[in-house]
Amino acid sequence: MKVTDLRIGNLFIDKYSKKIIPVLELLRNGNIIFDIEYFGIWQAEPIPLTENWIEKLKFDHNHWATKWILYDMPTPTGIKYVHQLQNLYFALTGEELTINN
């Protein structure tokens, strides 16, 4: 994953605690600053795009066709991770996706 593929606010998951951690800042040297509230061992990983995440991002049954077109899109152009869907949605609408708890 390249830093140029990311945006501030993209969501990742900590490999160890399984907490959701958003990107806070993208540095010119290629480093990524995450909004993480504890110290110790942690590792940010992309969140696989699952049906559960699609629903959390407010794609409901009224968006069924859109949901499955995005979800089943073949690789390498396919959307496999939550941050990729966030970026595509923003590029198409100019709005951020929010999580539906």
Side-chain angles (χ1 to χ4, degrees), residues 2 6 19 23 30 48 57 60 63 71 97:
K2 299 181 289 189
L6 303 177
K19 291 184 180 181
V23 172
L57 294 168
D60 58 26
H63 295 91
Y71 185 66
L97 274 176

Side-chain angles (χ1 to χ4, degrees), residues 59-92:
F59 286 87
D60 58 26
H61 296 291
N62 294 331
H63 295 91
W64 185 84
T66 303
K67 175 173 63 174
W68 287 108
I69 288 170
L70 290 172
Y71 185 66
D72 290 334
M73 205 180 291
T75 54
T77 59
I79 305 298
K80 298 187 329 187
Y81 300 108
V82 169
H83 73 276
Q84 294 172 324
L85 180 58
Q86 287 178 290
N87 295 347
L88 176 62
Y89 188 86
F90 183 81
L92 294 173

